[in-house]
Amino acid sequence: MAAPSPGGAPKTIFAPSQRKRQDDERFNLSPQQYLERYHIQTYLADAVLMVMDSRDERPLEATLKYFNSVLQGSHVVLREFEYVNATPRNRMSFVRIFVEDNRGVVAESEITVDDHLQLVMLLCNDFPPSIHQEAASLMAANGESGFLFGRVSAYFQVLFVFAEFMAAVRRVLTGTSAEGGRMDRSNFLWAVRNIINTKHWQFSCPAASLLDSIIAAGLDSGGGEK
């Protein structure tokens, strides 16, 4: 559910405010860039493989059923991690199904990271432990001694859905450290904003409007070093 912003308008990490710019960029893409941007070849190849494996007597209907499952988000259930991880749509679909399947789990209930991984593996049995290991490290670094289901799930979702974005942010931090310098809070946030502006069509990023509010808060507080 979207959290209310100070001005009363809903704020989400997938806000539609970038729509016009994305539309302009889409129509400027080459045919190959367009196919890559929307992962068309990934789904076409998977649909063909599915039809060949099933040898359905009505291959067109079987293909239609496959793409309906993609639109509904059910296509990632019990699939291998390589496929689940292949596209932003697949990752979002997987997270959505995981949330729905575990709706009855109390967010404040204690859970180990390994147990949370086991729940994830009920939907994808070769899901790697690396994302949960990173979640545990970040939670410990943030001083969270007791792991709660809701918190572990939140870290898992962000690290999984925004994996490439998080890697790009880490490169900003690593580059600054390698140069022996320090980046103050406002400059760091502007660097992250640039990642969203230039890379949002390549991988999933939080909405720029959400980061704008964080930048504004940083500037209001003086943008001191952190």
Side-chain angles (χ1 to χ4, degrees), residues 9-225:
K11 184 198 311 179
T12 74
I13 58 176
F14 301 106
S17 60
Q18 303 177 65
R19 176 68 64 183
K20 185 180 186 304
R21 185 176 72 241
Q22 291 176 347
D23 286 347
D24 292 340
E25 290 176 350
R26 185 173 69 254
F27 284 104
N28 287 326
L29 295 174
S30 69
Q32 185 60 35
Q33 288 174 326
Y34 178 81
L35 292 175
E36 292 175 356
R37 169 66 179 86
Y38 293 99
H39 306 278
I40 303 300
Q41 292 167 312
T42 297
Y43 293 115
L44 287 176
D46 196 57
V48 170
L49 183 61
M50 177 272 301
V51 171
M52 293 298 295
D53 285 346
S54 67
R55 299 300 174 111
D56 196 287
E57 64 178 352
R58 296 181 176 178
L60 293 182
E61 285 85 346
T63 303
L64 176 61
K65 182 178 180 181
Y66 169 81
F67 280 105
N68 279 334
S69 73
V70 173
L71 292 176
Q72 295 166 4
S74 59
H75 62 302
V76 294
V77 177
L78 302 180
R79 291 295 303 267
E80 66 281 3
F81 178 74
E82 182 180 4
Y83 180 76
V84 170
N85 191 50
T87 73
R89 173 183 287 274
N90 287 6
R91 295 184 198 179
M92 286 300 302
S93 297
F94 187 85
V95 165
R96 188 176 299 112
I97 291 172
F98 176 80
V99 170
E100 290 175 354
D101 282 0
N102 293 278
R103 193 173 300 279
V105 180
V106 178
E108 291 76 22
S109 58
E110 292 190 2
I111 190 173
T112 67
V113 172
D114 286 340
D115 285 344
H116 192 280
L117 173 60
Q118 292 303 312
L119 291 176
V120 172
M121 292 178 68
L122 292 176
L123 297 173
C124 175
N125 63 16
D126 66 338
F127 202 99
S130 56
I131 293 175
H132 283 80
Q133 290 168 352
E134 184 176 2
S137 297
L138 289 174
M139 293 179 73
N142 289 333
E144 301 191 40
S145 55
F147 291 172
L148 304 180
F149 176 79
R151 295 293 293 165
V152 176
S153 293
Y155 275 81
F156 159 70
Q157 292 173 42
V158 170
L159 291 172
F160 179 46
V161 173
F162 298 122
E164 293 85 359
F165 171 76
M166 298 297 289
V169 171
R170 281 193 290 271
R171 285 194 292 270
V172 170
L173 294 173
T174 302
T176 302
S177 299
E179 295 171 1
R182 297 182 65 186
M183 180 179 291
D184 65 39
R185 184 173 186 269
S186 61
N187 285 338
F188 169 70
L189 290 172
W190 281 114
V192 174
R193 180 67 157 85
N194 185 59
I195 293 172
I196 295 176
N197 285 340
T198 59
K199 303 294 185 180
H200 67 271
W201 65 275
Q202 295 181 15
F203 48 73
S204 295
C205 295
S209 58
L210 180 61
L211 189 66
D212 283 343
S213 64
I214 300 175
I215 292 175
L219 295 176
D220 290 342
S221 64
E225 290 187 353

